[in-house]
Structures are given as structure tokens and as C-alpha cells.
Amino acid sequence: MEKTTPYAEMFRLDNFRALVIGAGGIGGEVAQALAAHGAEVVCADRDGSVAATTASAVNGEPLTLDVTDPEAVRQAAHDLGNVDVVVLTAAMNVRKRIVDYSLEEFERVVDLNLKGTFAVIKYFGETMMQRGTGSIIVFSSIRDQVVEPGQSAYSATKAGAVQLVKAAAAEFGAAGVRVNAVSPGVVETPLTNQIKSHPEWYQAYAAKSALGRWSVPSELTGAVVYLASSAASYVTGSNLRVDGGWTAIDGRFTPPH
């Protein structure tokens, strides 16, 4: 039977070692939240300067890591040794309609969002299974369920990532390793500047959620802390939506009373 944690401590991550892959933007906020709850955080990014900046902010350890290189992921899992929590936020999108997509662009999106996710789950899952404990948290998106023009490859990879999470949960569960996903809605980050620069586009996205606004990165961190902690000790194979109600709503028009 799983040992219960006192309620006052169930979200604490003291003595946990966490790895955040994609340490800028949302990942930077996640690293701060994990550290604030007591975790020792390794901050990884393909851009070493981003990893170093976030690591400095949380008194953590920087790591330059490109998850599109499976051997580098395998080596990182080996070198880091005991990691209790892995959070993968790294992803990319090429916003084009299918007929305008090049195969090279499609491959780049798949390489990071799907192949990279597979490599992280595979290699870090393997080390966690050997230890008999661990939590892997993969960032997906509302696009794993609902789409719009120009989101074909991105949506396909995010849906695929959720299925990888479910398969890993089924395969790793007996060894005591949990695997879950977090699916944000629209988030205020530098990557969404293209949308923010078009007021009508920006407002249409805000109006689509039940809360009528965009989120900010800090609003995603509670979901990660929860899934990383003993508060979620019986949660695996789940996809926690932090989307302001976006995927719960059908249509943007409110009928008259």
C-alpha cells in the first residue's frame, strides 16, 4: 500500500531532483515553481544561455540538451542518474496550411514534438523504472483535441504525445513510475507575439475560453507541481487541461436568455 503523506506536506518536493527540459518561457516558470516547493532543479535547453539563466534564478544546475538528438537524451539520462521528476515543455510549431507545408517543415515539427518526446520518455523512463519511482510530465496542448487551419503537424504531434504518455503510463506503472500530460490553452509568451500583434485574432482567442482571457505561464505551474508531488500519487496516464475551459465549450455565441 502506498505510504500516505501528511496533508500539509503533500505538495512539497523536498529532496526531489527535477529536470525541466525547455527552460525558457513556460519552462522557466515551471522551474521556479518546483524550486519554490523544495525541489533541486536541473534546467535544460538546447540554448545553453537560456539554461544558465533559468538555473541561476532557481539556484539550480544548467544543462545544454537538444532532445532531437536521441543519443544526447540517452546520455543525459545516464549522467544525471537519480531524477525524480522530468518535465518536458520543449516544442515547436510551423503555422501553415497543409498544402503549403514542406516535408522538411513537417519533419522538423515531428522531430522535436514527437520523436523528442519519445526519446525523453524512453530514456528517463528506463532509469526511473530501475529505481522504482518517478514522475514524467509532458506538455501537450489544446491542439491535441481541437484544431484550426494551419495547425496540422503541430496538432498531430501533440495528440501523438498524449498517446505516448498513456502508453508509457501503462508500461511503467507496475514499476512505480507515473506519466502524465498537461494541455495548456493560449498562453502569453514571446512565441505568441504573432497573434498578439493582430488585435482581432488575439481577442478571438481570448473569447474562446470560458474565462474570456489568455493565461500567463505562472498559471500552468500548479498543475506541474501537483503531478510531480505525492498529492498525485495515484494519477497516471492523465491529461490535465489548463485551458480556461476552451475544450469544454462548443461555439463562441451566447444565445439570448
Side-chain angles (χ1 to χ4, degrees):
M1 185 174 180
E2 191 75 18
K3 180 182 178 182
T4 58
T5 301
Y7 292 139
E9 301 172 12
M10 64 194 311
F11 293 97
R12 292 296 305 173
L13 299 171
D14 304 287
N15 301 315
F16 278 55
R17 192 174 189 217
L19 169 66
V20 177
I21 304 174
I26 293 171
E29 294 290 334
V30 167
Q32 292 185 53
L34 294 173
H37 283 77
E40 171 192 340
V41 185
V42 179
C43 304
D45 200 279
R46 73 164 69 187
D47 185 335
S49 64
V50 171
T53 298
T54 302
S56 177
V58 300
N59 195 28
E61 174 187 344
L63 175 67
T64 302
L65 178 63
D66 181 354
V67 298
T68 65
D69 180 352
E71 176 56 26
V73 177
R74 186 201 66 78
Q75 191 64 51
H78 176 269
D79 293 346
L80 289 173
N82 294 347
V83 176
D84 302 290
V85 179
V86 173
V87 184
L88 176 61
T89 73
M92 69 169 294
N93 188 11
V94 175
R95 187 185 289 273
K96 287 185 178 181
R97 292 173 185 258
I98 292 172
V99 295
D100 299 321
Y101 239 97
S102 70
L103 290 179
E104 186 274 334
E105 288 168 332
F106 180 83
E107 288 170 355
R108 281 196 291 124
V109 174
V110 171
D111 204 32
L112 176 57
N113 297 2
L114 196 56
K115 182 180 176 182
T117 298
F118 180 84
V120 169
I121 290 174
K122 171 181 171 62
Y123 291 117
F124 283 95
E126 184 177 32
T127 60
M128 287 179 173
M129 289 175 71
Q130 291 170 356
R131 293 177 57 217
T133 185
S135 173
I136 299 173
I137 303 162
V138 173
F139 266 69
S140 182
S141 165
I142 55 171
R143 299 301 172 208
D144 62 18
Q145 181 173 325
V146 293
V147 301
E148 65 179 352
Q151 297 275 31
S152 60
Y154 183 78
S155 297
T157 58
K158 288 303 183 178
V162 170
Q163 293 302 95
L164 285 176
V165 162
K166 292 178 180 179
E171 295 176 9
F172 301 172
V177 178
R178 298 183 296 107
V179 189
N180 292 287
V182 173
S183 287
V186 289
V187 190
E188 296 263 12
T189 73
L191 294 178
T192 55
N193 282 337
Q194 178 188 8
I195 300 173
K196 289 188 286 185
S197 66
H198 294 78
E200 290 184 2
W201 193 0
Y202 177 85
Q203 186 54 40
Y205 271 23
K208 181 62 178 71
S209 75
L211 299 179
R213 63 175 178 83
W214 288 53
S215 67
V216 295
S218 62
E219 292 182 292
L220 308 177
T221 62
V224 177
V225 170
Y226 164 65
L227 292 173
S229 73
S230 62
S233 60
Y234 200 62
V235 179
T236 193
S238 294
N239 186 6
L240 180 52
R241 298 195 174 278
V242 189
D243 64 1
W246 182 299
T247 53
I249 298 172
D250 178 20
R252 297 175 180 167
F253 176 70
T254 301
H257 296 291

